[in-house]
């Protein structure tokens, strides 16, 4: 299985300040079709996961533009330009290139 | 607006079979592949497997021997069976659309394995 390693696992942030989460995969996530299937999900307390980013950097409809994804190969980053109170929750990266699909351990974002 | 809703028993006895159904509204089940993901209480997400609209399946090897997934196009539903359950199968089970990066998720249903 492709191991997805997130850091940090806990991220206290100040409202209005930026935040960044790293995700590293155990092998390249470049698919044979040329795409890189790296996704980011947000799970607010008591809610289902919600996809924010797909194919490394494509933002889903309705996702605020303060969220951005970047990276390539095995190293990926989710950035929040200015954290808002509604951003509290756990963030997961997930690879959709290899079988079985695998998730990172999750990064808990909380307001300081 | 696509919506998914899981249904099934919330309590299953050890060694029995866990059976869940996901009802899709706002989209045809023939339009995509459909996934199951689970989350043990207080823990992270585990991808279980998916079923395509044609009924082909791909299961996580860690669970493969105990899984069965199917699709019912007439009802716009897909289903999950996990056999020989133990306490380790206690989790919130989510159904979702897509497999390389599920874009729509159900609200999840908690299944507890206990006698």
């Amino acid at each position: 299985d492709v191991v997805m390693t997130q850091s940090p696992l806990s991220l206290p942030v100040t409202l209005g300040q930026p935040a960044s989460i790293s995700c590293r995969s155990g092998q390249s996530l470049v698919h044979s079709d040329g795409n890189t299937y790296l996704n980011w999900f947000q799970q607010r307390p008591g809610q289902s996961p919600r996809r924010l980013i797909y194919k490394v950097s494509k933002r889903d409809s309705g996702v605020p533009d303060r969220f951005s994804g970047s990276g390539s190969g095995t190293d990926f980053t989710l950035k929040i330009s200015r954290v808002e109170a509604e951003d509290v929750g756990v963030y997961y990266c997930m690879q959709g290139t290899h079988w079985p699909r695998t998730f990172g351990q999750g990064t808990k974002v909380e307001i300081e | 607006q696509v919506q998914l809703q899981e249904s099934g028993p919330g309590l299953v006895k050890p060694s029995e079979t866990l059976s869940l159904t996901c009802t899709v509204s706002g989209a045809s089940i023939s339009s995509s592949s459909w996934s199951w993901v689970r989350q043990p209480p207080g823990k992270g997400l585990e991808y279980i497997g998916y079923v395509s609209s044609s009924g082909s399946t791909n299961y996580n090897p860690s669970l493969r021997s105990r899984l069965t997934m199917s699709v019912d196009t007439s009802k716009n539903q897909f289903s999950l069976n996990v056999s020989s359950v133990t306490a380790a199968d206690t989790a919130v089970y989510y159904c979702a659309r897509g497999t390389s990066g599920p874009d729509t998720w159900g609200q999840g249903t908690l299944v507890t394995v206990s006698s």
Side-chain angles (χ1 to χ4, degrees):
Chain A
D1 297 6
V2 176
V3 177
M4 304 296 288
T5 304
Q6 290 183 227
S7 64
L9 299 184
S10 178
L11 184 56
V13 295
T14 301
L15 288 174
Q17 293 301 302
S20 179
I21 301 170
S22 170
C23 176
R24 291 184 173 174
S25 59
Q27 56 185 277
S28 173
L29 299 186
V30 180
H31 193 276
S32 56
D33 66 7
N35 291 306
T36 300
Y37 295 101
L38 186 283
N39 308 276
W40 288 97
F41 293 88
Q42 174 195 61
Q43 188 174 32
R44 290 171 171 153
Q47 295 188 13
S48 306
R50 167 198 183 196
R51 196 179 72 178
L52 301 175
I53 302 286
Y54 63 100
K55 292 183 186 178
V56 180
S57 59
K58 298 183 183 300
R59 212 167 24 245
D60 272 279
S61 175
V63 174
D65 61 7
R66 64 179 182 275
F67 290 94
S68 64
S70 63
S72 63
T74 60
D75 285 352
F76 305 93
T77 303
L78 175 70
K79 292 183 179 177
I80 310 174
S81 59
R82 294 172 306 280
V83 172
E84 298 190 5
E86 66 178 17
D87 301 335
V88 165
V90 181
Y91 292 77
Y92 295 93
C93 60
M94 174 208 158
Q95 65 84 15
T97 297
H98 302 285
W99 192 259
R101 311 306 191 212
T102 46
F103 291 90
Q105 319 97 299
T107 295
K108 186 173 185 178
V109 172
E110 53 191 4
I111 304 300
E112 285 188 301
Chain B
Q1 178 186 358
V2 181
Q3 293 185 314
L4 286 73
Q5 178 68 59
E6 305 88 353
S7 59
L11 181 64
V12 180
K13 290 182 168 56
S15 80
E16 296 190 344
T17 296
L18 177 163
S19 295
L20 296 174
T21 296
C22 183
T23 301
V24 179
S25 59
S28 170
I29 202 155
S30 299
S31 64
S32 186
S33 292
W34 305 90
S35 295
W36 290 96
V37 176
R38 70 181 183 179
Q39 184 171 36
K43 296 188 177 180
L45 300 166
E46 179 182 26
Y47 191 93
I48 299 172
Y50 74 85
V51 58
S52 74
S53 56
S54 65
S56 62
T57 56
N58 208 349
Y59 303 146
N60 190 320
S62 68
L63 297 165
R64 180 176 290 146
S65 64
R66 299 193 293 127
L67 295 180
T68 305
M69 295 182 189
S70 61
V71 63
D72 186 335
T73 54
S74 67
K75 295 182 179 178
N76 227 38
Q77 295 176 334
F78 60 105
S79 64
L80 167 71
N81 283 356
V82 184
S83 64
S84 305
V85 297
T86 69
D89 295 307
T90 293
V92 175
Y93 285 77
Y94 296 101
C95 58
R97 181 176 69 171
T99 171
S100 59
D103 64 358
T104 307
W105 296 58
Q107 66 184 27
T109 187
L110 174 62
V111 179
T112 301
V113 178
S114 175
S115 55

